[in-house]
Each structure stands twice: as C-alpha cells, then as structure tokens.
Amino acid sequence: MSVSNKRETPHLVFLPSGIGNLSPFFRLAVVMASSNCKVTFINVQSEAVDPDFANHPGVEVVDFEMQAETSSNTTISDPFIARVASINRALYRLSPILASLQVSAIFSDFAVAATLAQISDDLNIPLHMVSTTSALFFALVTNLPLLLSQDSNLFSNSTREIDVQGMPSIPKTHIPAAWLHNSSTNHLLTAYLLPNARALPKVKGVLLNSFNWFEQETLAALNCSRALQIFPVGPLPTYEQQKGHHLPWLSEQPAQSVVYVDFGSQEVISPDQIREVKKGLEISGFHYLWVTEYAGESCFERSKQGIIISGGVDQERVLADPAIGVFVNQCEWQSIMQAAWEGVPMLAWPQHGDQKMNAEAIEKTGLGIWMKEWSSGGEELVDGNEIGRQVGQMMEDMNIKKAAKFVRERAREACENGGSSQKAFNQLVQMFTSSKN
C-alpha cells in the first residue's frame, strides 16, 4: 500500500466513557476495522479490555490513565453524578492525544456528549454517539431539553403521559423513577441528562443497537425530525470467536426444555422475591438455568430440576443453545437484542430505569410477554405459584415460540446484504471512505 493510500484510510477513535456497557463499542470497533478503517480504542477504565477484542487485527488499544479529577466547586453528593463529572473533566487531557492522531471521527457515548462535543469541535473532528438503549428511550432523552423548557415540572407534576413528537405518548409509569423527583433539585436531570442532551445537535450521527422492523414507528419519527442522523445497525454481531458456553449440563438438555433466568448485572429484586422465583421455577416443572449476582442465599441449592450459577456467563452463547425455551429477564436492551437474534421468547419482568419502555417493544413485536402486574419495581411480592404457572404456560405455548422465531427472521434479514441494518452501516462507512472526505 502506498503512503498516499495510507493517509486516505479512515482513522476512527472509539472513546467510551466507561459508564455502562462496553460491548457495543467492542463490536462496532471490530466491524469498522474489518471495513478498511484504522481503529484506535482508548480505554479509560482501570482494568484491561477483553483480550478477544484487544487481540483483534486492525484494532489498537490505548490505555489512558483516568486520574481522579476533583472539584471543590460542586455541592452534588450523588456518587454517580460525581463520577461522571470527574470523567468529563479528565477527558480534556485527551485533546493533545486526539490532535496528534489525525482522526477521521470519534465514537463515544451519551455520558460525555457535552464534553466531547466541545473537544471535537475545537479539533474539527466529527463526533458520533453510540447509544446502548432502545430508540424509544433515546428519542425521549433527545427531546428532554424541549420538553422541560415547555414544563420544568414535567416529571414531578400530575401529568400521566409524556408526549414526544411523532410518537405515541409515553405513560409516566414507564419513565425511570429517578427522573420523577423535583426537577429543580434532580441532579440526574440538571447535571447529567440535560447538558448532554443539549449537545446532541452537534453530533454527526447516532448509532443504535436496534433495527428498523423492531422499532419501526420510533425510528421513523426520529428520521422525520431530521435533528440527528440515525444509523440503526443492530443487532450488533459478536466480536469474539465463536465458542461454546462451557456448560455441559445445558448441552445435555433436550431442545427448548430449559428456562433461562438472568436479571442482569444490577439485580434489584429482594431476597423474599428471590425465594419466590426459585419456588416458581420448581413449580413450573421445567429444567432451569438461573444466573444470579447474589451469593450465599440458602435457596440457591442445586436441585435435580435446575442449576444456579452465581456470577456471570456468556449470555449470548447461552441464548444460542437449542435447549433454551424461555428467557426470564428484566429487559436490559442488549439482552433483548440478543434474544431477538436467537428467537428466544422473553418473559419480561422490568425492574427500573428504561426497562418498562424496553418491555413495551418486546410486547409489540411478539418477542415475548410482559407481565405488567409484576412490574412494580419490587414493591409487591410476586407469588411463586403465579410465576410457576406463567413460566409453564410460556414453555408450552407454540404460538409464542413461533412469534419469537418470526422476530429472529426479521433480525437476521436486517443484517444480511440488502437488509436495513447493513444498509445503515454501509452508509456510515461511506461517510469515511468516500473520496469527498
């Protein structure tokens, strides 16, 4: 390759804040590296990145020492807000590094949108956001400045629904509980959400881990607004070599005979509810695999019917196993995309944050069932007998399984040549590889 061609190779920098899930960044970086782009991944976390990612051809990982940047000019005691503020202050030390790299574009996330919008503007580098949420939740966040300018007490007044332009009203019961505090003292809104949402018009494009068919109405509304260029490129492919899940017990089970339970990395269910879930799984009569963050609970004794693992598993590989029949989950967006890719029906049990909005997508698309009466944020105990009945019904319902397989077909079509997600990705790559750039 000649020197001039090397200079024309797009150089993309991935700079996630470290707040939230890094997997979408790993996946996108690998895909970009496989599309004739040079990729630099700046790791601001204290721990090393996944070795499978770090060793991928075409990806260079640069560790950046994110020293604590304290400020005495703040009265905010919220540890999350304080951490985000510290990261944002430290990012300014990256400006000289970015200036020296001859960067074609920066890819980051919402938590540092305002800071990187300023840095990228100063360096004349296009900034792209990678959203790890649903298109619906992202649309709500995008519209926050407008909504709160029209009604500063929107989240603390008696309004039952929130109107976002071009989309059906969002019930206030679906809004994250942390937003519903008094707006004037809610630092999540004033110090985190609003500043970053106001910076979004400076962003060149937004990549979503979703696909047109799955969130058709919301994506159409976002595109019609023309405020942002949206690239729905999901479900995002794995960046790892295909391997087994290393769970011999699961591999020995018959097809679609196992209930997979995983409430995510931030479980919020109570010990009493844990015991009722265990009771319900036993009552269902089906084998189960339960992955939990809780340890030492007396109810977590292995039975002939199920196996309980404390810690993490590779969820993507578990869902790909033919033995899985139903997935009980609190509706983290990446989990939903993984279930859609494999066509595994979901029993949606949202607990907090954006999860009720995510559960709505599960219900609308037919990927599974949302038990709305269970979704009280842990305030009411769901009886094990009821859990057992619902799990058993889903495991035996062929219509539910057929509907989930239909979602799988649409997800695969989106990522094939000519599919909506592939077209969106090609359009994105064209922005960097075009002779005009």
Side-chain angles (χ1 to χ4, degrees), residues 6 72 77 86 100 127 130 158 241 310 338 413 433:
K6 286 184 179 179
S72 59
S77 59
S86 176
S100 68
L127 175 64
V130 177
S158 60
Q241 297 179 356
S310 177
Q338 290 173 350
E413 285 177 358
T433 58

Side-chain angles (χ1 to χ4, degrees), residues 330-331 333 336 348-350 354-364 369-370 375:
Q330 65 180 10
C331 307
W333 188 250
I336 293 173
W349 195 345
D354 61 347
Q355 293 169 0
K356 288 185 180 180
M357 282 189 263
N358 297 348
E360 186 177 324
I362 293 173
E363 187 175 64
K364 282 185 176 181
I369 292 177
W370 175 15
S375 303

Side-chain angles (χ1 to χ4, degrees), residues 148-166:
L148 289 172
S149 69
Q150 296 170 341
D151 182 358
S152 61
N153 294 310
L154 177 64
F155 297 117
S156 56
N157 63 26
S158 60
T159 304
R160 295 186 177 183
E161 294 184 331
I162 294 176
D163 293 318
V164 179
Q165 58 182 2

Side-chain angles (χ1 to χ4, degrees), residues 244-255 258 289 317 321-323:
H245 48 58
H246 306 300
L247 297 174
W249 176 88
L250 182 59
S251 300
E252 295 167 0
Q253 306 310 313
V258 176
L289 167 65
R317 293 169 186 165
D321 193 289

